[in-house]
């Protein structure tokens, strides 16, 4: 059984992430950094540098925080690909994403095939940079919004199994995704789920002290609807457990087709969590009273609620209005949505949960339904999605 181990990084409390990026840009211009990365890849992996002109841009399929995403085709092989154009001045910010993706090799992680540049008369400063990745026909959020019938239980199990395998792989390689959500899960017409968008991902430092085992909270992470309560309440450190809370939100969304907690602000978000899971206390979550958000605005100020999660996911439904979830399935969902991060289930434990071994068994990927391409909801307004924590912390 993999041990729960988290690691700590240090940060200058007097420097914001934006300020630190500005300093980095002054010392290492974005284009120069990207070119150096390409040169390193060529030397270590003996890859031949490729240029954008070798790919045909077919259509635009979405836009992210750091760039536009297009459907494209390799002119040499005819392979259909996704091509992400990095926005101006975002090359340096994207380098961690590139380096993490380049080191990943798992069927549930989107495959970064090439990092290419425009062949602009060898003028590196003015070149655009592009990430060439495997193509998938849909993102899961768009499917949930447009499909006429929800995924049946064996299909949800198939998707969850793939998601947990991917998350376990990330965590075993000391990577925290930090923005897991249904719009960052791709699904191709072979039934394969792919975790994508590693723009906020972070790799834990192997040199850090294992006893001081968490990341200092110094930047905005995780889209609001999928953000763990410890982040909303201003926790100064966190680790892989924040990904597992997001996985719980995704599991509920796959079954109901609706986001579990769709708050409009940080305060509204934590209120919706309390309304469904009940108000937390020091007994169920030791250390709760020490969180900055709890100190600033008392949790007791929120309306008292009991846990109503089972009402939203009953064992039996005579009307069909609510998704039916077995005892084992509800146990997994509850353990993913546990308030105390230290008690939250790990990806390895979740992947081996009894829910996946009971009837109906997970559907084989080859028999998963297929859908026409639909990327209309690939990206939303990031100003709403990312915040600084509850009450501005």
């Amino acid at each position: 059984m993999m041990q729960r181990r988290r690691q700590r990084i240090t940060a200058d409390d007097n420097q914001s992430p934006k300020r630190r990026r500005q300093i980095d840009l002054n010392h290492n211009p974005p284009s120069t950094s990207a070119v150096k990365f390409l040169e390193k890849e060529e030397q270590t992996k003996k890859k031949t540098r490729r240029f954008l002109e070798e790919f045909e841009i077919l259509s635009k399929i979405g836009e992210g925080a750091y760039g536009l995403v297009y459907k494209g085709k390799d002119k040499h092989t005819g392979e259909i690909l996704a091509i992400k154009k990095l926005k101006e001045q975002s090359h340096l910010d994207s380098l961690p994403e590139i380096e993490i993706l380049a080191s990943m090799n798992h069927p549930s992680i989107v495959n970064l095939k090439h990092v290419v540049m425009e062949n602009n008369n060898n003028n590196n400063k003015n070149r655009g940079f592009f990430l060439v990745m495997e193509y998938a026909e849909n993102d899961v959020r768009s499917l949930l919004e447009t499909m006429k019938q929800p995924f049946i239980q064996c299909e949800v199990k198939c998707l969850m199994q793939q998601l947990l395998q991917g998350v376990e792989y990330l965590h075993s390689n000391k990577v925290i995704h930090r923005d897991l959500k249904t719009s960052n899960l791709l699904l191709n017409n072979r039934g394969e789920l792919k975790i994508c968008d590693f723009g906020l991902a972070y790799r834990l430092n192997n040199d850090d002290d294992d006893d001081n085992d968490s990341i200092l909270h110094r930047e905005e992470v995780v889209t609001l609807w999928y953000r763990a309560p410890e982040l909303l309440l201003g926790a100064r450190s966190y680790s892989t457990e924040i990904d597992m809370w997001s996985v719980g939100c995704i599991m509920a969304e796959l079954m109901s087709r609706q986001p579990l907690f769709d708050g409009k602000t940080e305060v509204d978000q934590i209120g919706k969590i309390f309304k469904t899971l009940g108000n937390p206390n020091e007994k169920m979550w030791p250390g709760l009273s020490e969180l900055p958000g709890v100190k600033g605005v008392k949790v007791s100020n929120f309306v008292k609620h009991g846990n109503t999660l089972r009402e939203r996911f009953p064992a039996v439904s005579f009307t069909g209005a609510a998704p039916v979830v077995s005892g084992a399935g509800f146990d997994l969902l509850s353990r993913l949505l546990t308030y105390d991060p230290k008690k939250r289930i790990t990806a390895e434990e979740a992947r081996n949960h009894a829910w996946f071994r009971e009837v109906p068994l997970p559907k084989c990927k080859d028999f998963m339904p297929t859908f026409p391409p639909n990327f209309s909801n690939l990206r939303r307004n990031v100003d709403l999605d990312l915040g600084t924590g509850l009450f501005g912390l």
Side-chain angles (χ1 to χ4, degrees):
M1 186 72 66
M2 184 173 64
Q3 297 293 319
R4 290 178 179 270
R5 302 180 72 181
R6 302 180 301 167
Q7 297 179 314
R8 181 179 298 279
I9 62 171
T10 59
D12 186 343
D13 292 354
N14 297 319
Q15 289 184 5
S16 67
K18 182 177 181 181
R19 172 60 180 157
R20 291 198 298 277
R21 285 197 295 270
Q22 289 174 341
I23 293 173
D24 289 339
L25 288 171
N26 290 334
H27 286 86
N28 204 2
S31 296
T32 303
S33 298
V35 170
K36 286 183 177 179
F37 176 82
L38 288 175
E39 291 173 346
K40 182 180 178 181
E41 283 288 284
E42 291 167 10
Q43 293 171 1
T44 58
K45 298 185 178 181
K46 297 181 180 180
K47 287 185 176 181
T48 301
R49 183 179 298 185
R50 300 193 65 180
F51 296 94
L52 180 65
E53 288 70 19
E54 300 176 54
F55 302 88
E56 179 183 355
I57 302 297
L58 300 176
S59 61
K60 178 181 174 181
I61 57 178
E63 181 174 359
Y66 290 122
L68 302 172
V69 183
Y70 299 90
K71 180 180 179 180
K73 182 171 70 172
D74 189 322
K75 293 180 180 179
H76 299 302
T77 65
E79 182 182 10
I80 300 298
L81 300 160
I83 301 175
K84 181 177 181 178
K85 179 182 180 181
L86 302 182
K87 290 181 179 178
E88 186 177 358
Q89 294 299 313
S90 71
H91 305 144
L92 185 60
D93 287 341
S94 298
L95 278 177
E97 174 183 11
I98 297 171
E99 291 170 346
I100 287 174
L101 273 177
S103 69
M104 296 290 102
N105 181 21
H106 190 275
S108 294
I109 309 294
V110 68
N111 181 21
L112 175 64
K113 293 178 174 289
H114 309 285
V115 181
V116 303
M117 63 176 72
E118 291 177 297
N119 191 2
N120 189 17
N121 298 322
N122 295 319
N123 185 353
N124 290 338
K125 292 184 179 180
N126 297 323
R127 288 180 177 183
F129 286 85
F130 301 79
L131 308 185
V132 180
M133 298 170 283
E134 63 180 316
Y135 174 77
E137 286 76 10
N138 289 283
D139 71 274
V140 173
R141 179 66 242 159
S142 294
L143 286 179
L144 293 174
E145 291 183 338
T146 58
M147 60 196 304
K148 295 180 179 179
Q149 297 294 329
F151 288 115
I152 58 177
Q153 191 170 159
C154 61
E155 293 167 351
V156 172
K157 287 186 178 183
C158 175
L159 297 175
M160 283 297 299
Q161 198 170 53
Q162 294 181 72
L163 172 59
L164 287 166
Q165 288 168 351
V167 174
E168 181 187 4
Y169 176 81
L170 292 176
H171 292 177
S172 67
N173 283 278
K174 301 183 182 298
V175 172
I176 311 175
H177 187 279
R178 304 201 300 182
D179 198 22
L180 290 173
K181 54 184 176 180
T182 49
S183 60
N184 281 344
L185 303 179
L186 305 179
L187 185 64
N188 63 28
N189 280 340
R190 296 181 298 280
E192 297 169 336
L193 180 144
K194 308 283 182 177
I195 301 171
C196 71
D197 199 339
F198 283 71
L200 292 176
Y202 180 80
R203 188 188 294 277
L204 294 165
N205 189 342
N206 287 326
D207 296 329
D208 289 331
D209 183 356
D210 287 342
D211 294 329
N212 296 321
D213 57 357
S214 57
I215 297 176
L216 288 176
H217 186 189
R218 289 289 177 266
E219 56 187 286
E220 301 84 0
V221 292
V222 189
T223 299
L224 182 61
W225 293 352
Y226 306 84
R227 194 177 304 164
E230 60 266 31
L231 296 181
L232 289 166
L233 292 172
R236 296 305 186 190
S237 62
Y238 59 83
S239 191
T240 53
E241 294 87 357
I242 67 168
D243 280 351
M244 300 314 297
W245 177 275
S246 301
V247 170
C249 295
I250 290 169
M251 178 179 175
E253 193 171 341
L254 289 174
M255 293 188 290
S256 68
R257 296 175 60 192
Q258 298 295 327
L260 182 60
F261 309 118
D262 56 350
K264 296 179 174 59
T265 65
E266 285 100 343
V267 175
D268 186 39
Q269 182 70 12
I270 199 69
K272 287 180 180 291
I273 293 173
F274 289 177
K275 186 176 181 180
T276 299
L277 301 181
N279 297 54
N281 54 52
E282 191 72 21
K283 183 178 180 180
M284 69 171 66
W285 185 356
L288 171 67
S289 59
E290 298 302 314
L291 293 175
V294 177
K295 289 181 178 180
V297 177
K298 293 183 179 179
V299 172
S300 59
N301 288 353
F302 287 90
V303 176
K304 293 288 185 182
H305 295 287
N307 192 318
T308 60
L309 186 63
R310 194 46 157 161
E311 295 176 16
R312 298 182 65 171
F313 298 92
V316 178
S317 176
F318 297 104
T319 64
V324 173
V325 182
S326 69
F330 185 74
D331 178 73
L332 175 58
L333 181 61
S334 299
R335 295 178 68 186
L336 288 165
L337 298 175
T338 296
Y339 275 125
D340 186 352
K342 294 179 181 179
K343 298 175 184 176
R344 204 170 293 152
I345 194 171
T346 67
E348 181 185 18
E349 291 166 348
R351 180 180 60 81
N352 291 307
H353 195 274
W355 184 56
F356 294 106
R357 298 191 297 274
E358 71 174 13
V359 177
L361 295 174
K363 179 177 281 191
C364 176
K365 289 184 287 188
D366 294 338
F367 297 104
M368 286 290 287
T370 59
F371 306 90
N374 182 2
F375 281 92
S376 61
N377 194 39
L378 183 61
R379 288 292 178 266
R380 296 170 183 260
N381 189 329
V382 296
D383 292 334
L384 174 63
D385 284 351
L386 293 175
T388 55
L390 187 58
F391 317 120
L393 293 168

